[in-house]
Amino acid sequence: MERYDYITIGGGSGGISSANRAAEYGKKVLIVEADQVGGTCVNRGCVPKKIMWHAGKMVQENQDYAPSYGLDYQFNGLDYQTLIANRDAYIDRVHNSYFSGFESRGTHYLQGRAKFIDNHTIEVNGEKIHGDHITIAVGGRPLMLNIPGIELADSSDEFFKWESLPESVVLIGAGYIGVEFAMMLNEFGVDTSVILREDTPMFQLDPEITKVLRQEMEQAGIKIYAERNVNKLDKGEDGLINVYVAESDDFISAEKVIMAVGRRPNTDDLGLENTDVQLTDSGHIKVDDYHFTDAEGVYAIGDVLGKVDLTPVAIKAGRTLADHLFNGADKFYLDYNKIASNIFANPPIITMGYTEKAAIDKFGADQIASYQSNFTAMFTAVTDNRQPVTMKLVCQGPNEVVIGIHGIGYGLEEMLQGFAVAVQAGLTKADFDATVAIHPTAAEDFVTMR
């Protein structure tokens, strides 16, 4: 039986980063991946999505803003095949860089599906392999509603396999995937509708942000059907897919339907019943504050936890876990209340920490102060298509420690990282105020709010 110091089950961002870090410490390391190297992010998530978001943004800037700047571009439409060919070529280069990194570090890589035999033994392709330490980083997959006709809908994974664009699409769900896809497809010229159960897209965000988001979606021509439940799908005589809402015969038709109602962990068929690893009712893996499971020497990171399904979160957890296990570092506590993230809508949304409502629920209204700024993005201010910007700080306690930072607007996606450092460091509103603003920028409003 082959023996390794460390095995990561899953060759996505978390598993790769953790395994490579352990290999850098001289450990014998193996990555086992059942699908493509790079996992969801590289192949079916943030990387291809961001490339396509750039394309949609360029379409909008060309059509809505360039003429007001005196630029007369000839726009002949989107060549979707060129876009996806170049997108996929970039992903291939990322794959190659991973394998180069494995070779330079001495990281072993095995294609196949792993299944636990016991806490420290897995089976892959009929071969038993021992790991002194094993991290589960198998990620998740799209959740599909259990309704009649669901086979007619595509998941977000299948969207990235489209070879051409439909004339119309219905998205079921308005979380970050539904919102990002809807705005992107709409910019590509697809007649786009969104059905959601809540009263607004991205309902978990601050209401000042979601108000602007819905306004921009509808102004862009996206049709929003809020507070609706989908109960079945079927195909009409015209070949379109009918999406039925509520308990009636009302339906919305489109050439394509995308299900974007959440994700589920890939913890089934792992043989976890042969280990001491415990699962939650939702199938996610139970871990302590340091990503240790109930099985000694077995850990879990990333989307299998059901906490914050973001690539950099899995990377941070994976690297710091390896630092502790193989280089003597203290256990690292990852504060899931201080995770910065972007939603690549148009305009983009940034969020970190507590919303105002969540902060009041946690600390009490007398402990919370919020500050907000609303203006028109300068890039769009000289055009007929002015785009609003809303930015907000949430502060706690007599010293007004900044515990939340939120915004929607042009260019904000590149702004949050630096401010996230300030929030992580526990800086106060006074620290923000003491910082000299950079003018003219949107970022200056975070240090000039009153």
Side-chain angles (χ1 to χ4, degrees):
M1 183 188 303
E2 191 77 14
R3 303 179 70 89
Y4 289 88
D5 298 313
Y6 189 42
I7 298 172
T8 63
I9 303 176
S13 301
I16 288 173
S17 59
S18 193
N20 280 342
R21 181 62 60 89
E24 290 167 4
Y25 295 136
K27 300 303 177 181
K28 184 179 178 182
V29 176
L30 173 67
I31 298 171
V32 181
E33 171 55 48
D35 198 352
Q36 293 174 293
V37 67
T40 297
C41 176
V42 169
N43 300 293
R44 303 172 297 278
C46 37
V47 170
K49 173 202 68 183
K50 182 70 180 291
I51 291 170
M52 297 174 78
W53 177 79
H54 279 305
K57 191 163 174 280
M58 284 189 278
V59 170
Q60 185 203 40
E61 290 178 355
N62 183 292
Q63 294 182 322
D64 291 348
Y65 304 132
S68 295
Y69 280 88
L71 300 172
D72 184 16
Y73 292 128
Q74 291 289 86
F75 181 66
N76 298 315
L78 172 69
D79 183 342
Y80 191 69
Q81 284 71 35
T82 296
L83 171 60
I84 61 176
N86 289 330
R87 177 200 71 191
D88 293 348
Y90 175 75
I91 292 171
D92 286 341
R93 294 195 295 274
V94 175
H95 290 166
N96 291 334
S97 71
Y98 278 136
F99 288 115
S100 296
F102 299 157
E103 184 177 356
S104 66
R105 293 176 175 87
T107 303
H108 298 264
Y109 180 85
L110 179 61
Q111 185 82 28
R113 186 170 299 278
K115 188 168 185 176
F116 279 93
I117 304 301
D118 58 41
N119 285 341
H120 293 281
T121 308
I122 61 172
E123 184 175 20
V124 186
N125 303 330
E127 175 188 1
K128 290 184 173 61
I129 305 170
H130 173 89
D132 292 344
H133 299 272
I134 300 176
T135 288
I136 304 168
V138 293
R141 62 187 185 276
L143 179 65
M144 304 297 282
L145 293 177
N146 184 22
I147 57 174
I150 190 62
E151 68 278 359
L152 297 172
D154 286 342
S155 68
S156 56
D157 287 358
E158 291 161 326
F159 162 75
F160 289 111
K161 299 176 183 177
W162 288 3
E163 296 182 356
S164 61
L165 290 171
E167 291 187 5
S168 56
V169 65
V170 170
L171 289 112
I172 302 173
Y176 73 95
I177 293 175
V179 166
E180 290 175 340
F181 280 22
M183 301 197 83
M184 180 172 60
L185 287 166
N186 181 69
E187 287 153 2
F188 290 165
V190 179
D191 183 9
T192 303
S193 301
V194 180
I195 303 173
L196 58 150
R197 290 185 301 175
E198 307 295 335
D199 61 351
T200 185
M202 301 295 298
F203 71 94
Q204 72 274 28
L205 300 180
D206 237 284
E208 290 87 354
I209 305 300
T210 58
K211 178 181 178 181
V212 175
L213 172 63
R214 178 163 185 169
Q215 171 189 316
E216 288 300 296
M217 291 178 73
E218 292 181 325
Q219 187 168 309
I222 298 170
K223 294 177 281 294
I224 296 177
Y225 300 88
E227 299 182 281
R228 311 285 181 92
N229 286 311
V230 174
N231 56 55
K232 71 174 181 177
L233 283 69
D234 66 21
K235 183 165 283 192
E237 293 181 359
D238 55 5
L240 298 179
I241 301 170
N242 301 321
V243 183
Y244 292 81
V245 296
E247 299 300 328
S248 69
D249 293 329
D250 294 339
F251 61 84
I252 304 158
S253 298
E255 186 178 338
K256 288 278 193 180
V257 173
I258 300 175
M259 193 68 61
V261 295
R263 294 178 66 81
R264 58 179 297 183
N266 288 327
T267 51
D268 44 357
D269 200 32
L270 268 179
L272 293 177
E273 66 276 7
N274 300 321
T275 72
D276 295 321
V277 174
Q278 299 298 308
L279 300 178
T280 67
D281 292 340
S282 60
H284 293 91
I285 294 178
K286 289 183 179 180
V287 294
D288 65 10
D289 288 340
Y290 307 101
H291 300 94
F292 285 50
T293 73
D294 288 351
E296 185 177 357
V298 181
Y299 320 92
I301 60 175
D303 296 3
V304 292
L305 305 183
K307 292 186 176 182
V308 179
D309 295 355
L310 293 173
T311 295
V313 174
I315 290 173
K316 186 69 172 179
R319 286 177 175 165
T320 53
L321 177 61
D323 290 340
H324 168 67
L325 294 177
F326 306 114
N327 199 42
D330 291 338
K331 291 180 180 179
F332 182 82
Y333 172 68
L334 181 57
D335 188 348
Y336 282 89
N337 289 315
K338 288 186 176 180
I339 304 297
S341 65
N342 289 344
I343 295 95
F344 287 100
N346 192 0
I349 298 168
I350 61 173
T351 182
M352 180 181 185
Y354 290 90
T355 63
E356 183 176 3
K357 180 181 183 303
I360 289 172
D361 290 344
K362 173 75 173 179
F363 302 104
D366 60 335
Q367 289 291 306
I368 300 302
S370 67
Y371 300 85
Q372 186 170 321
S373 180
N374 304 284
F375 56 97
T376 299
M378 188 175 185
F379 176 73
T380 71
V382 298
T383 77
D384 293 331
N385 297 283
R386 298 177 182 87
Q387 202 174 69
V389 180
T390 292
M391 300 163 67
K392 185 172 184 177
L393 294 176
V394 179
C395 305
Q396 185 261 327
N399 293 329
E400 293 195 325
V401 175
V402 180
I403 61 171
I405 184 166
H406 313 281
I408 180 170
Y410 186 90
L412 265 64
E413 78 280 359
E414 292 291 350
M415 191 183 302
L416 180 57
Q417 189 69 76
F419 285 105
V421 175
V423 176
Q424 180 68 38
L427 299 189
T428 66
K429 180 66 166 56
D431 294 319
F432 277 53
D433 294 343
T435 304
V436 176
I438 302 172
H439 182 77
T441 67
E444 67 182 301
D445 276 59
F446 276 133
V447 298
T448 58
M449 289 185 186
R450 282 288 181 269

